[in-house]
Structure formats: C-alpha cells, structure tokens
Amino acid sequence: MTVINNIKKLKEKKNAVILAHNYQPIDILKVADYIGDSLELCIKAKETDADIIVFCGVDFMAETAKILNEDKKVLIPEIKDTQCPMAHQIPPKLIEEYKKRYPNSKVVIYVNTTGESKAQADSTCTSANADKVVNSFKEDNIIFGPDQNLAYYVKKRSDKNIIGIPEDGHCYVHKKFTLNDVEEKRKKYPNAKLIVHPECDPQLQDIADYVLSTGGMLKKVLHSEYDEFIIGTEVGMIDRIKLEMEKQKITKKLIPLNENAICEPMKQITLEKLEKCLIEEKYEVILDKEIINKSKKAIEYMLKLE
C-alpha cells in the first residue's frame, strides 16, 4: 500500500480532514482536503465537522485551528522547525505596553502570531482582509502588528492612525525580494504582470501591478485576461496555482520573482510525516483554555466581517 493510499484510508477511518496552506510542498497539496491562504483556512477550520483536523502549515496556523475548534483534536505532522519566525516577533507584553500608551485605540493583530498575542487583540486580520478589519473600527488609533510592510499596505487604504509594532516586524521570505529582482524579471518578461504580497517592502508594492494575498493571487491568475505573471511571494505558490490551472485546463506562464524565496518552516512536512501523524495522532496542539477564549473573540470578530 502506498503512503498516499494509506493516508486516504486513515483519514476516512478516523474522520480526519487535512488542511494545507498554499506554501506547502506539492505532494501535500495533492492529498489535502482543503488548500488556501490563512483566511480561507480559518473559515474551513471553523466549518469542519471532522473529529480530527490535521494542519499542514506552520505553528500559528495549527494553533488558530485549535482556537476555533476547542472540542476537536488538532494535529500538526511536524513540530520541530515549523515555527513561523514572524509569529514570535510581537510578544504579549509589547502589546500591553502600547495599549496603555494609547488607551483609546483598537488592537489588530496579524493572524501570523501566537495565541498569547491574539488574546491581547480586538481583532485578528490576514493579508486578504487587513484593510477591511482596520476600517471596521470607529476608533482613529489602531495598534497593528507585527508585519510593518502589511502595516504600510493598510495605511494606504485607510485614514486611521496606524501604530505599527514592533518597528522591525517582517517576514524573512518576503524581505528577499529586491528592486533588482523586479528590473531583471521585467526586462526578461516585458509582457508579464507583477503580483506581490503585502508582506513585500513598500518600494515593491508601489511598482507592482497588483498587491494581493496568496488567495488573491490565485484568483487573479485564473480569471485574468493576461497570460504571464511574475509572482512575488514564497515560491511554493507557483505550484499551488499550477495545480489549480491543471484542474481547470488553463495555460499561463508563471515566473518566480526570486527563486530563493523559500519558507523553510513551511517545507518541513512530508507525506511520510503526514501518514505517521494520522497513525499516531501526534503532534497534538494543546492551548490554555483562557488563551483560547480570549483569542477566539479576536478571530471571530474578523470572521464576522467576511
């Protein structure tokens, strides 16, 4: 019996569902029940009636699934080296400090954070809905973090006073993209449209044809009249788009803005680890009940806007 067949049998036997982020390896994407960006997977996690949720992604994503499904068993196939560096850049104490400094404010925290940080927020957000969430509040001051490039993206789409914390909050993968990358690729592919993620530096956002979340990138490529795209996000997104193009029998040219834009924590999960996870039902995500209750309010505020 192949690993893939065994995964399918185990999934059915245990009433498990496999959620995979767009950046996951192609083998994982092919066996997943649902693939998406952070927002799409939040919604799927909340809607599922499975007994076991297996989250193929990084730590904060599996935590978010657990927060939304306290009564379900949530597993992540690999616990080592699946920590998102950015998720740990905004400790709860820093948020508390800014809440005291700006008492008449609201706190919007990127979903790419720990449960402890989410528990300090009025709402979470994703790159797909950050501006919508921020603009939903009547308060003028919005404490926002941790990604400061996403904060820049929001500032351009809001009249709020965005107080970004921490000052150097960033995604190390999207920091790899440079203006030289853009110049080189546009010279080589003059007819291609450039799509970049809101976690990219401001100078790249300003010259891109589109600034979109990964879910937005997928929709843009599939439904656009254009045939060539330079993709400015983690390279695995190209496999994700190609997988959908194959299903829909669409042919378009996709060019990575930088071939070295690889998120190592996202690449730690393999088919063998997924199979073992379903057999042994580990590694299980365990969170403090108080953290679950507080952070759930912030996540659900965001989801109510969708």
Side-chain angles (χ1 to χ4, degrees), residues 64-187:
T64 302
K66 181 62 179 179
I67 291 164
L68 292 171
N69 295 274
E70 186 179 0
D71 59 335
K72 298 182 186 297
K73 181 175 282 190
V74 177
L75 308 173
I76 184 167
E78 178 57 74
I79 200 71
K80 185 181 179 183
D81 300 326
T82 54
Q83 285 191 345
C84 168
M86 181 169 62
H88 300 270
Q89 290 175 1
I90 184 167
K93 285 186 178 180
L94 181 64
I95 303 172
E96 290 175 4
E97 176 188 327
Y98 272 78
K99 286 167 78 170
K100 291 176 183 176
R101 194 180 302 183
Y102 297 92
N104 298 316
S105 64
K106 290 294 183 181
V107 178
V108 177
I109 295 296
Y110 202 12
V111 75
N112 302 35
T113 49
T114 65
E116 288 84 354
S117 292
K118 290 183 179 73
Q120 295 289 330
D122 294 292
S123 179
T124 56
C125 74
T126 71
S127 56
N129 65 12
D131 51 340
K132 181 194 292 188
V133 172
V134 165
N135 290 326
S136 73
F137 290 108
K138 63 180 181 181
E139 286 79 5
D140 292 327
N141 290 329
I142 305 293
I143 299 168
F144 187 97
D147 191 275
Q148 293 313 298
N149 290 335
L150 183 59
Y152 173 82
Y153 173 87
V154 172
K155 285 176 184 177
K156 292 190 70 174
R157 292 160 178 80
S158 174
D159 59 1
K160 306 289 186 182
N161 177 32
I162 307 298
I163 305 157
I165 59 171
E167 292 183 2
D168 61 346
H170 68 281
C171 166
Y172 83 92
V173 176
H174 289 95
K175 278 289 185 182
K176 292 184 178 183
F177 298 116
T178 67
L179 291 173
N180 286 338
D181 291 333
V182 174
E183 183 179 355
E184 176 187 325
K185 289 301 194 298
R186 275 184 161 162
K187 186 176 181 180

Side-chain angles (χ1 to χ4, degrees), residues 251-265:
T251 302
K252 297 196 178 189
K253 188 174 186 62
L254 305 178
I255 306 110
L257 180 55
N258 184 324
E259 293 80 357
N260 297 315
I262 299 170
C263 176
E264 292 297 340

